[in-house]
Amino acid sequence: MATSLAEFKRIGLVNSLRNCQLGTGLPTTDLETIADLAIPKSLEKGEYLFREGDPSRGFYIVQRGAINVHRVNALGKEQVIHVFRTGESFAEATLATDKGYPGDARAVEPSQVLLVQRDGFIGLLKRRPDLALRMLASMSAHLRVLVGQLEDLTLKDVETRLANWLVKQCPDSQNPKPVPIQLTVTKRVLAAELGTVSETFSRTLAKFREQGLIGVKGRTITVLSPPKLWALLQRHLGG
Amino acid sequence: MATSLAEFKRIGLVNSLRNCQLGTGLPTTDLETIADLAIPKSLEKGEYLFREGDPSRGFYIVQRGAINVHRVNALGKEQVIHVFRTGESFAEATLATDKGYPGDARAVEPSQVLLVQRDGFIGLLKRRPDLALRMLASMSAHLRVLVGQLEDLTLKDVETRLANWLVKQCPDSQNPKPVPIQLTVTKRVLAAELGTVSETFSRTLAKFREQGLIGVKGRTITVLSPPKLWALLQRHLGG
DNA sequence: GGCGCGCCTTGACCGCCATCAAAGAAGAAC
DNA sequence: GTTCTTCTTTGATGGCGGTCAAGGCGCGCC
């Protein structure tokens, strides 16, 4: 069984694709076609994958790490659009239009991504309508996330957003057992993801701590009682 | 030439479809297929087309009027996502997933929309991959708008947003000739579209008036010198 | 005409949160 | 170890803009 190096890589890519949202359930032949279009790329922490306006080369799938997609205004302030993690894909929106990428993408931590090249993939879409539907579904999901983000930032305060984030980290918000949360990024970065700055983030954590809702030790936040935090969240959301 | 009533309606629909973003350039046979899937609906001012969470019946094309898509938080505050006007389509995102509509849709003024029914359209998409690509393009555009909205609301102040809106109403921002703008909606509604309230909107208009940039008389705003307003906008955007 | 009802404007107030500043704490580099 | 940088926390301050309240304006309607 002589298997070439290229063949090996292909098998690895196919397996990788099968494990991501877009690929699950897809027939192997399609995955192979996509694999042949894909170019892997490693990114160091802080490295940029693309910048706003760059011409689209295709869309990306995160194999490992986390990619922060954001926009920068003229004063240099950043607004996080979304942080994409393992298995997620992004920038599909650039497939169908010739405008460039709509934001900047930077690795939050050391990451590995797959670039699925645009032209070849469009050709595939034309042959496989069901794949096109899947892309539509993927973009729908992104739209929903974005709408949620918009609502969060304009209709909810920082306290609510943080409480919401903390509750989401708990496997079961009704289970009174304390949940330790290990931050994979600095608090400053997490603050940015939540649409605020480190100072406000810190103050809000302190507020929760004073209320006995959480414990903070270095980069570990412990939700002392998920149901209590959940109740606070409900009070906020319920007016 | 005996032409049935149904045939008449179909011809009207096809013409209507040809004039909207999604339909331009599409072969007539496709337009006819879509026409057969479409249900026209009239809405009075203030009437709701759908509410958040309603199961998706399909997507919509605005034939006449304006549809405000927004979200409401628990306290009843609304965040405008986008206002769709003649020729635009929306809620395509509900085609590919079985989740309901992600927001509320209400007619800002008396409107006429086409509902393109979901199931039939999905069938069409499977037969016409190029149409699927077109839907992808349409959703890309929505994503871009949404990203822009997010940036606007979090990275720009009301003054900048209003200046931007005013400049966009001018056919040529470099032409010093005054441009009268007739509002089709109340100032309160326009304020909401810009992500603020009527009081702040009013104050910002007053500020521009004091600077001699605009004139306000009832529901008519006159940009006295588009280039001056444009310059102000550039100063804001340029830091 | 007079009345009533929204809309619009302006003033007063204040809360959220970003910014600036300063001082610990924690690593990283050497 | 020392030094230096980065992160984190806490205090002080201030601004943007939302809310409440009170007229004024416009306009339809009787």
Side-chain angles (χ1 to χ4, degrees), chain B residues 37-95:
Chain B
L37 292 170
I39 301 175
K41 179 168 174 58
S42 294
L43 292 133
E44 295 170 27
K45 175 180 169 177
E47 191 178 345
Y48 278 84
L49 182 56
F50 54 75
R51 306 266 186 168
E52 183 173 345
D54 283 357
S56 166
R57 301 181 57 198
F59 74 95
Y60 293 91
I61 298 171
V62 183
Q63 288 187 290
R64 186 173 49 78
I67 307 292
N68 176 335
V69 176
H70 59 274
R71 277 184 90 141
V72 191
N73 73 351
L75 295 82
K77 248 191 77 175
E78 292 186 1
Q79 172 61 50
V80 176
I81 295 169
H82 194 62
V83 178
F84 295 94
R85 301 181 186 278
T86 304
E88 296 182 312
S89 50
F90 60 98
E92 297 97 326
T94 63
L95 283 175

Side-chain angles (χ1 to χ4, degrees), chain A residues 71 74 93 100 129 140 151 237, chain B residues 71 74 93 100 126 140 144 151 237:
Chain A
R71 276 183 92 140
S140 302
E151 181 182 356
L237 295 177
Chain B
R71 277 184 90 141
K126 287 186 180 158
S140 301
R144 280 170 201 278
E151 181 180 356
L237 295 178

